[in-house]
Structures are given as structure tokens and as C-alpha cells.
Amino acid sequence: MVEIAKAPEGFEGPGFFATSLDKVVGMARKNSLWPLPFATSCCGIEFMATMGAHYDLARFGSERLSFSPRQADLLMVMGTIAKKMGPVLRQVYEQMAEPRWVLSVGACASSGGIFDTYSVLQGIDRIIPVDVYVPGCPPRPEQILDGVIKIQELVQNESLRRRDSAEYKAMLATYGIE
Ligand code: SF4
């Protein structure tokens, strides 16, 4: 049986529970991520399974997929990214509003995978910052869900000031993004 610990005296009462703004916003963001699936090849099929009834990404509040970057806050990159596709991926990332997160799914998106060749980007982190990497070729839906849960942990614990910090801006500047 699970017991819920009592809140300290003065922080709880009928109709209210005191907390900090950071925690409430983090909790709301964590449970309402809107993914933009950028799927180019086989890993995308695993994502389709992840959205299906058996694995059901909707359980994590992420059933609302967006194919419009301006209405998405989680970019999920799945599949081989050719160098010609790089500028498109980057534009999609830049069009997303802050705060935004990036999940790199599978070996190809994370490192080029088996395609160590002139035409394939050897990891999307060469053009955009990545928050969580999911290994595998292809990763199973359980691994993709695990990646989403790792993103949720980051989202919940992120400070509201992070996106305005000098460190964050400096990190974006290393990618040439303002
Ligand atoms: S990592 Fe493997 S399964 Fe995923 S896109 Fe590349 S080749 Fe396909």
C-alpha cells in the first residue's frame, strides 16, 4: 500500500496546496509534451508502434503529434539523415518555440549508424543540440518510451531561467543559432 507523506504544517489545507512556480510549470510541461516526429526511415516504423495501442505514447500525455514546428516542443528525430536533409532539420528546429527539447532515436540519427559514408550526416548533434540519445538499430518501442521518460525528467527539473541564461545562449551560439 502506498502512503502519501503529509505536507509540512501551513502548506496544505482544504482547497489549496502550496508549491513553487518552477515545480508546477515543470509538471505541466512534462505531462503535455507535443512531439514533432521527424522520421525518415526504419526507426520511424518503431515510432509508429510506439504510438499504437500496445505501447501507447498517449499514456505520457504525448498523443498530440504536431507536424507544424511552431506547435511542438519535442523534436523526435528517427532515421538516417542525409546531409542534404540537414538544413531542413535545422530549419524545423529553429522554427520551434522555446522551450524545446530534442530526442535522437536510433544509431543513424545519433551517429550515422552503419552509414559511414559521404552522403550521411554522422549524427544530428553536428547541426542541432540533442537532449537525449536512444541507442539501437532499431531501438524497440520500450527504448523510445524510455527516451521520452528521460526527456520528461529533464523537462520537470529544468529551471524556468535556463533558456535565458548565458550558458544556454552560448551553447546555441556554438551551433550558430541565435
Ligand atoms: S538506426 Fe537502424 S533501424 Fe534506425 S534508421 Fe538507422 S538503419 Fe534503420
Side-chain angles (χ1 to χ4, degrees):
M1 190 176 130
V2 178
E3 280 190 29
I4 298 174
K6 283 241 181 277
E9 187 96 10
F11 284 86
E12 194 185 28
F16 81 94
F17 188 94
T19 182
S20 68
L21 184 63
D22 265 31
K23 287 190 181 130
V24 172
V25 172
M27 186 181 71
R29 284 178 175 168
K30 169 192 164 186
N31 293 298
S32 60
L33 284 168
W34 286 5
L36 188 157
F38 195 97
T40 57
S41 47
C42 11
C43 276
I45 307 297
E46 298 297 319
F47 176 70
M48 291 175 203
T50 311
M51 287 303 298
H54 187 75
Y55 292 101
D56 195 11
L57 191 61
R59 290 178 293 153
F60 301 86
S62 297
E63 68 269 50
R64 193 275 186 191
L65 300 186
S66 176
F67 295 93
S68 160
R70 294 180 181 86
Q71 290 152 2
D73 53 8
L74 172 60
L75 178 58
M76 298 179 71
V77 185
M78 299 160 282
T80 322
I81 305 296
K83 282 183 183 163
K84 276 190 175 177
M85 187 63 82
V88 178
L89 177 62
R90 189 180 158 105
Q91 185 172 12
V92 165
Y93 176 79
E94 286 181 331
Q95 285 180 338
M96 290 170 69
E98 292 279 22
R100 58 196 161 182
W101 294 269
V102 178
L103 180 62
S104 175
V105 176
C108 282
S110 302
S111 68
I114 56 172
F115 304 106
D116 186 5
T117 175
Y118 72 95
S119 58
V120 171
L121 192 65
Q122 298 298 294
I124 59 166
D125 55 7
R126 297 191 176 205
I127 53 170
I128 55 171
V130 173
D131 294 284
V132 172
Y133 298 85
V134 177
C137 176
R140 285 188 51 85
E142 290 93 335
Q143 288 172 264
I144 298 178
L145 288 179
D146 189 53
V148 171
I149 291 170
K150 294 273 184 307
I151 290 275
Q152 283 189 316
E153 284 168 13
L154 287 178
V155 172
Q156 182 168 28
N157 297 316
E158 182 175 311
S159 153
L160 290 181
R161 296 198 184 92
R162 176 177 176 237
R163 305 281 162 166
D164 295 319
S165 69
E167 290 81 9
Y168 184 72
K169 285 177 184 161
M171 187 275 291
L172 285 186
T174 63
Y175 287 91
I177 299 171
E178 288 181 12

